[in-house]
Every structure is written in C-alpha cells, then in structure tokens.
Amino acid sequence: MTTISVNRREALCRAACGFGHVALLGLLSSQVRGEISTVNPLSPKTSHYPAKAKRVVFLFMHGGVSHVDTRDPKPELAKRNGQPLPIAKPKFEFAQTGNLLASPWEFAKHGQSGVEISELFPEIGSVIDDICVIRSMNGADQVSHGPALLNMNTGSGVFARPSLGAWALYGLGTENQNLPGFISLAPSLYHGGAQNYGSAFLPASFQGTRIGDGSSPFQQATLSNLNPGDHPSLQRLQLDLISRRNREHLARVGDDPRLEARIAAFEMSFRMQMEAPRVMDLSQESEATRKLYGAGEEPTDEYARECLLARRFIEAGVRFVQVNFSFPRNYWDAHGDLRNNHSTNAKKVDKPIAGLLRDLKSRGLLDDTLVIFGTEFGRTPAAQGIDGRDHHPHAFSIWMAGGGIRGGMTYGQTDDFGYYVAKDKVTMPDFHATILHLLGFDHTQLTFRHAGRDHRLTDVDGEVVTNILA
Amino acid sequence: MVNRIWQHHFGQGLVATSDNFGERGERPSHPELLDWLATRFVESGWSMKAMHRLMCLSATYQQSSQSSEVGARNAELNAGVPHSALRIPTLADPGNRLLSHFQRRRLSAEELRDAVLVASGKLDREPGADEGSAVVWDLADRLDDKRGFRTNAMPASHPLYTDFTKRSIYLPVVRNLLPDVLALFDAADPNGVTTLRNDTTVPSQSLFLLNSPLLRKQSLHFAQRLLADEKATDAQRLQRAHELAFGRQPEPDELAQGHTFLDAYFTAPETRTRPQHEWRLTTWQSYCQALLCQNEFIYLE
C-alpha cells in the first residue's frame, strides 16, 4: 500500500483551505505519526472534561404525556374538578379548553425516596430511586407537535438545526466503527420526520440512522441497505476487486485522503453487514431477560423489543440511541378519551422501560449511560371537550436517570394547577446544556461554524441544571 | 452570481465564502478574474448559459486533475524517498486555490444517481416531475380535502425511488424524509439554505452502493446492456464496460483483473446454486456494480 505522508502543517492548511471540518477532525484523530491510513470523522474523541455519561438512551414519547396524570400530582384539580381556572390561561394555546379536569388516576409515593408517581406507571415507580423527575420543563410557546418535537430534538422549532444525537456524535464520535453511532428506533415520519435525527448543517456522517418507523410494526424493522445485495462470499470477491482497483487508482493520482477514506468505508460497511444483524438478533437474549422487558407478550412486545435492542446497541458501542414511541402506531395525544389513551400507552411502555433500567443497572451500565424519558409537551390541566386534555408546553414533566444524574428526587415545581412553572424552570436549552454537560461538554464551547457564526445546540441560551447532578 | 457558477463547476468559488462577500468573508483568490466574469455576465445579457460555456471552455476547466507537483512528489514517495529528502517537501498550494489543476470532487447525490442511470442505459431524458409528485400526492393522508391539506406518507423506501428513471432533478423531494440516494450523499437539506454542500465519506454510503435496490437493479441493466451483443467476446465487453463507466479504454492489467474476477465469480459454488441462465448475468451484474462503486466513478477528475 502506498504510504501517503502528510505533515501536520500541511494537514491543517489543507483542512482550512477546503476539505472542510470533517476532514480536519478525521486528520487530527488519526493516531499514527504523520501517516493517514483512514480518515474517519466518527472515531472516538475526548470530551472537554471527564464525564460520567458515555452514552445516551433517549426514550421519546410522542404526542405529549400529561404531566398532571403521571408525574406531577395536583390535589387542587381534584378539589376544583369542573371549575374554571382561577388564573389567566396562557396567551398561546393550541385550542380552546374548558374547566379544570381532575386526574382519573391516583398518585402514591414510591421507593425509599417517596417520589410521587401516578398509578399509570407502577413498574417505573418501583425503580424511582434511580430517577430524577423534572417537573418544571418549559417548552416556550411550542404548542404544535412538529415545532415542539423539533425543539426537543434539535433545539429549534423554527430553524433547521442538527439533532441532539448528531451533536453527541460530533463531540464524541462513537466506539464501534462497525455500527452506526447514532440510531433512532421507530421515529415518526411526521412532525419533523428525519429532521429530528438529522445533522442539518453538520456533516452527514453525524446524522442518525433510522431503524423502523412509527408507521410500521417494529417487529419487522431492519437497518436499510443492510441486507447483503449478494451472497457474502460473492460480495467479498466484489469488494476485493473494488479495493484493488481503488488502490491502483490512488497510486496513480495520489494525495487525496477522501479516496483513502472511501476505501476504508467499503471495508467498514462489509463488517457492518455482519455485526449489525448479530447485535439486532434478540433471540440471543435469555428468556429471563426477555420477560424482564416484556418481550414476547402483549401489550409490551413492541416497545420491549425497542428497549432491548437499545441496550444491545449501547453495549456494542453505539453512542446515542433514541427509542421512540411514535405516531401513528403509538401516540399520547389525548385530545379526547384521556383515560383510555394514557392507560393503554402506559401499559405498553411501563414494564419495558423499568426492565431497561433494571437491566442496565445489573450490567453495571447505568452509571455511565444517561437515560432520558422525554415528551414534546405536557397536557392542559383544563379539559378539552369532555374527557381530553390539549397540548401544553408551558409546564410539563420529563425524567432522567443514570449517567451522573442524582436519582430518587424531583426538581422544580409547577403552580397548584400544573399550569405554569412556579420554581426552577428548565427550558429546552437548559435541558440540552445539562445533557451535554453530563457527556463532558461545555455547551457554549461545542460549536460548528456555519453561515458565518459558531452554532451550538443551545444557540444563545442554556444553563446547566446543577442540582440534579450526582 | 458568477462566483456561484464558478463554485458549481470548480467545487469552490473564487470567493470561498460564497454567501459572504463582507468583512468576515474571504477575499477572492483571483479578484480581477471575478470582476471580469461579472462584467461578461452583464454584457451577455445576464445569461447563465453564456457563463457555463465560458467557464467550461476555458483552459482552466480543461486541466487534468493530476497536479504535476503532486505527481512528482508522489513518484518520489513511491520510490521510497524519505520525507526529509523530497525535492518538493511541502506543496505550495495544497488547497489548489490557484487552480493549477482540476480539483477532484465527488459527484453530488443527483449527479451520482444520474451517472448510474447513464451507465446502465436506463436514463429517461424526458423532462417532467409529474410522475413523481403524483405518487407522493396520492399516497398522502387526506387531512382536509376541502382545503387540499395532506400530510406526507411517502416512506424513504418507496419503490418510486428505485424505479424512477428520469433525471434526479425530477425526483420528488419530501422535505422531512429524503430517499437514501439523496440523504446519504449530502444532498442539500430542503429545510434550510445550503451554500456549499458537504462532501462526506461514510460506511452507510458504501452499504447503499453495495446493497441498495437501485444499484443492484441498474447494475443488472448495465450487465444486460453488455451481454446484449451475443457475438461479443468478454474482452470486448470489458472494454465497453470501461467506456460506459469511465469514458476510457481499460489498461491491460485491468482487463486481466476483469477476466480473473469473471472467472472466479462464474465458477463460485454460490453462483452455481442459481438457475443456469442466471450465472453469466449475475456475474456481469456484480462486475458492473463494482465499477459503479469505484472512486473513479464516484469522483469527477
């Protein structure tokens, strides 16, 4: 193989002169002195400072989980059921709402910490001591699903920005080059679609890879283009030809790291074809583990598979896995029939999520895996129609666990009705700043130059929520 | 405007920051040329075609992508000359801002797809986007028929993206879900403004080139095209394959490699498990696909 030696001055000059940021990252992360054998933007990188969390599992609940029915008990709603809200309603609402609606479900203290969770989530309640519930989330005025999803996933409901996972890859690379570094399981094709796991102006190498979607049963989901187009040993013949011809071409024309990188990429893809199916093969899990998640039983099978797959992926070195419960197959958007909607959905996810947390913990992975339970907004404490709740971004709940988060606590408070944040507001930039901090990044310093300025996930805002850090 | 057209043909504008001619932007590499081009543009009656013609017929555009400086340096490196003893230790213009040679660039997503269809002989040169948009429109969810609101239900895996044979410019672009052929090869994000596309190299592109229905199908058509003349020899077919894929004749060692590959694939036990009439066809399909996966095909030089 031809050795192409490039000294660092040349490498830097080249990158500045036109090969772009990606090439620079790759060139700088090549290990061997002066020699470039592969240029890989996804090779592992170190964070700004030592971090607790090395990877993220983001459990995303599409549609808007009602906070006052799940994680934020409001006795006032029971007392004032059917009465009008005594304070002013928000200026921005999705639709008109009526009077206050009591929660159909009871809340109880759970675990040793005594955090109150509603009866919708008994299994998650039983592992509440590892969980930090944030009750003071505020999604600004994002009252529609699309912009709200984009806001949570990319930091902007308006502009095209890279997703959270893309920023994580940009900052940290990934551990296993034979698998995608950022995977999104069953995302919705709607409400922002691929933008929610996209890379926007960051190089495409950081975009998420989709497996399945919200429109199809997850049991059938595969990684696109993974099925070998030909028998593997025949494909090997083909690859050897491609590789040999590419090397001869390289020797002829020389001095272009991109050509070298593409040779490596072909080899990597061949390995990916073998590794990914092995990781995605859930039959390798023990019966006990599958029961823990609720795989193979209803109504938990679908989401259990997603959670179990997520655990397998992160064990195999994937950096960021988004585990979506999404439209149209799964939707928390209870404009009407709240009781049926939330109890059906909770039954589908409660056991798998608790199973995931337990499984991560028993494998020693919870300490350095940040698990997030998110949703794009909450739901109005006042009723929509007779028995529904409308979109409500002004105050809602999410939770986080593992990866440097202090468990068994609640953070922030809403007012007596659950309408507005009363204490310790956590905006979306705060949420993102905190996640980046847990991954070892100063969110103001993880930037990418685009359209004349240094962009970051948190744009111009964001404060790390320090009180929830372990 | 002329800077943008220049960027399109040369991969980088005379002003590298083509969306910023201000204080924080870069200075032009050839200020007089830029002025001259701008003047010619106005004088031509603001004709973009005149600019395309002007630039593509220029000596600069027609240069080889082999820089004599890089070539000389490479020859020494290949001969084992240590770095300290090189006659040209560092390149004077590593970014090729002074355009001493043609700057190799990867084909854009659309160009790559079109090139694959040209090689396979299946490109439909008729203009028209109706066929594609009709599929998207019919598939969409009818949210409000009175006002004509529909939400997209077009999956990225839809067969249209494999079967459509018109130029890529006529592909329906669904803002939030581009097909792999576009998304994987750095097509501009339809949600934003893209001044200059990225040029990434990732394994998911290789997976697409090796396994996608589009590439498998077009490789098959490419193979059928070569096998259509039943009287041709394999050597003649290999020559034709190189003409169609690279616009040149194969070198002797490339011919030899081709024959070796064809033999190995044709006699492989896995090939033999197929019906006999498929042996030759799938052999050539695999060979043709390998050519479409080459750097020489994917990069413009």
Side-chain angles (χ1 to χ4, degrees):
Chain A
M1 190 196 92
T2 310
T3 302
I4 301 164
S5 294
V6 179
N7 64 43
R8 281 181 66 82
R9 186 172 73 94
E10 241 179 50
L12 284 167
C13 184
R14 248 199 228 162
C17 292
F19 282 12
H21 199 87
V22 169
L24 173 59
L25 282 176
L27 288 166
L28 290 183
S29 60
S30 304
Q31 313 89 321
V32 185
R33 173 188 60 85
E35 271 181 32
I36 300 170
S37 52
T38 55
V39 176
N40 182 13
L42 292 166
S43 52
K45 302 185 227 336
T46 47
S47 48
H48 294 157
Y49 37 83
K52 285 281 182 60
K54 302 262 183 313
R55 60 195 82 82
V56 180
V57 176
F58 185 8
L59 308 162
F60 183 72
M61 303 291 122
H62 191 183
V65 179
S66 167
H67 51 301
V68 300
D69 294 303
T70 58
R71 261 163 289 280
D72 197 5
K74 295 288 144 186
E76 279 302 304
L77 288 181
K79 284 199 211 113
R80 292 172 186 256
N81 189 32
Q83 292 173 31
L85 181 70
I87 55 178
K89 282 191 180 169
K91 185 171 175 198
F92 291 105
E93 290 187 295
F94 192 65
Q96 272 202 340
T97 48
N99 293 336
L100 295 171
L101 179 70
S103 177
W105 296 284
E106 295 291 324
F107 278 76
K109 292 190 200 287
H110 284 82
Q112 289 186 340
S113 49
V115 171
E116 288 178 275
I117 299 292
S118 87
E119 56 183 306
L120 280 174
F121 291 102
E123 298 286 341
I124 291 178
S126 71
V127 290
I128 204 73
D129 290 332
D130 288 316
I131 291 173
C132 170
V133 180
I134 300 175
R135 288 181 173 153
S136 50
M137 285 296 295
N138 176 285
D141 294 321
Q142 300 295 5
V143 292
S144 302
H145 294 291
L149 248 84
L150 289 171
N151 199 25
M152 175 156 264
N153 285 310
T154 72
S156 172
V158 177
F159 301 110
R161 292 278 153 83
S163 58
L164 181 54
W167 283 108
L169 274 193
Y170 170 64
L172 286 171
T174 185
E175 297 297 326
N176 185 343
Q177 303 305 322
N178 296 335
L179 291 171
F182 168 25
I183 297 174
S184 187
L185 303 176
S188 182
L189 299 176
Y190 304 84
H191 299 149
Q195 239 190 300
N196 287 310
Y197 50 92
S199 52
F201 51 73
L202 288 180
S205 11
F206 303 125
Q207 70 189 221
T209 298
R210 179 179 58 86
I211 297 181
D213 56 59
S215 307
S216 330
F218 189 72
Q219 289 82 347
Q220 300 161 5
T222 51
L223 221 147
S224 76
N225 298 321
L226 191 68
N227 262 335
D230 202 350
H231 195 283
S233 58
L234 293 175
Q235 217 179 31
R236 188 66 252 173
L237 281 176
Q238 197 184 37
L239 268 167
D240 287 340
L241 180 67
I242 293 170
S243 191
R244 188 165 165 196
R245 290 187 60 125
N246 275 342
R247 289 194 187 286
E248 283 161 13
H249 173 250
L250 187 63
R252 269 199 321 271
V253 304
D255 253 358
D256 189 336
R258 294 174 299 172
L259 300 179
E260 182 81 71
R262 199 163 286 280
I263 295 172
F266 268 104
E267 287 302 326
M268 230 184 263
S269 68
F270 188 69
R271 291 196 299 271
M272 214 182 264
Q273 275 180 183
M274 293 187 283
E275 178 121 3
R278 187 188 58 75
V279 176
M280 290 175 69
D281 181 8
L282 295 181
S283 70
Q284 295 192 13
E285 291 292 327
S286 71
E287 185 57 37
T289 306
R290 276 185 279 149
K291 271 179 88 71
L292 178 67
Y293 285 74
E297 49 191 76
E298 293 301 343
T300 50
D301 183 51
E302 196 169 33
Y303 203 65
R305 282 166 176 270
E306 286 191 45
C307 288
L308 192 43
L309 191 54
R311 195 221 76 218
R312 287 177 70 80
F313 273 133
I314 57 161
E315 260 183 330
V318 175
R319 184 70 70 194
F320 194 111
V321 184
Q322 187 150 338
V323 190
N324 298 285
F325 184 79
S326 64
F327 177 82
R329 290 177 64 75
N330 299 300
Y331 209 32
W332 292 86
D333 196 30
H335 287 282
D337 200 13
L338 171 73
R339 202 183 285 259
N340 200 26
N341 176 293
H342 274 38
S343 70
T344 305
N345 287 329
K347 284 205 190 80
K348 287 184 179 180
V349 305
D350 186 37
K351 186 173 180 190
I353 293 175
L356 174 67
L357 287 174
R358 284 207 175 86
D359 203 15
L360 288 173
K361 198 165 187 186
S362 70
R363 287 167 197 264
L365 287 170
L366 190 59
D367 281 340
D368 55 8
T369 304
L370 176 63
V371 183
I372 308 168
F373 178 101
T375 189
E376 70 263 38
F377 38 59
R379 306 204 79 80
T380 53
Q384 184 169 37
I386 317 161
D387 59 358
R389 299 195 194 275
D390 194 19
H391 305 170
H392 194 74
H394 310 282
F396 63 101
S397 304
I398 58 144
W399 58 253
M400 300 210 256
I405 287 284
R406 192 146 60 92
M409 65 171 285
T410 63
Y411 181 80
Q413 287 169 22
T414 52
D415 61 27
D416 288 340
F417 314 100
Y419 246 92
Y420 302 102
V421 173
K423 186 164 172 275
D424 295 331
K425 184 194 286 196
V426 178
T427 62
M428 217 52 89
D430 296 333
F431 170 63
H432 291 142
T434 309
I435 293 169
L436 287 179
H437 174 78
L438 289 163
L439 289 170
F441 289 98
D442 175 346
H443 68 106
T444 63
Q445 299 297 312
L446 184 66
T447 61
F448 187 85
R449 188 150 198 97
H450 167 74
R453 69 173 173 104
D454 291 326
H455 278 79
R456 61 188 215 223
L457 173 61
T458 50
D459 203 16
V460 296
D461 290 310
E463 301 269 339
V464 177
V465 181
T466 48
N467 288 346
I468 63 172
L469 308 177
Chain B
M1 189 66 206
V2 293
N3 193 56
R4 289 289 179 133
I5 299 173
W6 188 272
Q7 175 183 288
H8 176 77
H9 289 301
F10 291 91
Q12 198 171 37
L14 293 170
V15 175
T17 54
S18 44
D19 56 1
N20 189 350
F21 276 39
E23 266 299 308
R24 305 290 292 266
E26 298 215 1
R27 308 215 62 76
S29 55
H30 302 76
E32 296 86 0
L33 175 61
L34 185 63
D35 280 345
W36 182 80
L37 285 169
T39 313
R40 286 295 298 265
F41 182 49
V42 174
E43 285 171 354
S44 73
W46 303 86
S47 164
M48 283 175 64
K49 282 190 176 169
M51 288 298 106
H52 291 311
R53 222 173 279 127
L54 184 64
M55 290 179 196
C56 292
L57 292 175
S58 70
T60 310
Y61 186 75
Q62 294 178 41
Q63 288 179 120
S64 153
S65 54
Q66 308 234 33
S67 135
S68 45
E69 206 184 29
V70 168
R73 197 156 167 282
N74 224 42
E76 289 199 293
L77 285 168
N78 279 345
V81 175
H83 200 86
S84 50
L86 290 174
R87 268 181 294 138
I88 309 173
T90 54
L91 300 171
D93 179 22
N96 196 24
R97 289 300 283 142
L98 301 177
L99 295 163
S100 62
H101 54 281
F102 185 77
Q103 187 67 9
R104 182 180 301 111
R105 63 175 180 83
R106 202 201 70 201
L107 295 180
S108 69
E110 292 89 339
E111 287 168 339
L112 183 59
R113 183 181 166 280
D114 287 351
V116 168
L117 288 168
V118 167
S120 71
K122 288 297 174 187
L123 182 69
D124 174 0
R125 290 174 199 263
E126 281 301 305
D130 292 343
E131 186 191 317
S133 7
V135 172
V136 178
W137 187 246
D138 286 340
L139 205 62
D141 288 335
R142 292 172 147 78
L143 206 61
D144 183 338
D145 259 341
K146 242 188 335 172
R147 286 184 284 183
F149 282 177
R150 296 192 187 185
T151 54
N152 170 58
M154 182 81 171
S157 57
H158 195 280
L160 174 80
Y161 294 124
T162 305
D163 299 335
F164 192 68
T165 51
K166 289 197 175 149
R167 289 174 55 208
S168 307
I169 202 170
Y170 298 117
L171 275 174
V173 170
V174 174
R175 197 155 51 95
N176 286 324
L177 195 63
L178 292 178
D180 283 341
V181 68
L182 296 179
L184 290 173
F185 291 92
D186 308 294
D189 181 356
N191 291 294
V193 174
T194 302
T195 307
L196 184 64
R197 292 189 180 186
N198 288 309
D199 174 358
T200 61
T201 304
V202 280
S204 47
Q205 291 167 352
S206 307
L207 278 177
F208 181 83
L209 292 170
L210 287 172
N211 302 328
S212 65
L214 178 71
L215 262 291
R216 289 298 291 165
K217 191 171 184 200
Q218 296 311 319
S219 306
L220 190 69
H221 290 311
F222 191 175
Q224 284 166 336
R225 200 179 178 188
L226 296 173
L227 291 168
D229 181 359
E230 289 176 18
K231 289 195 299 273
T233 63
D234 277 354
Q236 286 169 327
R237 293 198 174 99
L238 289 172
Q239 277 164 350
R240 184 98 181 97
H242 280 72
E243 278 165 18
L244 290 171
F246 308 124
R248 64 169 176 86
Q249 290 299 308
E251 297 295 317
D253 61 317
E254 288 175 325
L255 271 177
Q257 277 169 16
H259 285 300
T260 308
F261 174 84
L262 293 169
D263 280 335
Y265 193 102
F266 189 72
T267 56
E270 293 80 11
T271 308
R272 294 295 156 122
T273 63
R274 297 172 184 153
Q276 185 161 8
H277 66 270
E278 282 181 19
W279 295 353
R280 207 132 153 277
L281 185 58
T282 54
T283 301
W284 279 97
Q285 178 189 24
S286 182
Y287 181 76
C288 290
Q289 190 179 12
L291 295 187
L292 300 177
C293 291
Q294 300 272 271
N295 280 337
E296 194 179 342
F297 187 78
I298 297 169
Y299 287 85
L300 183 66
E301 5 187 69

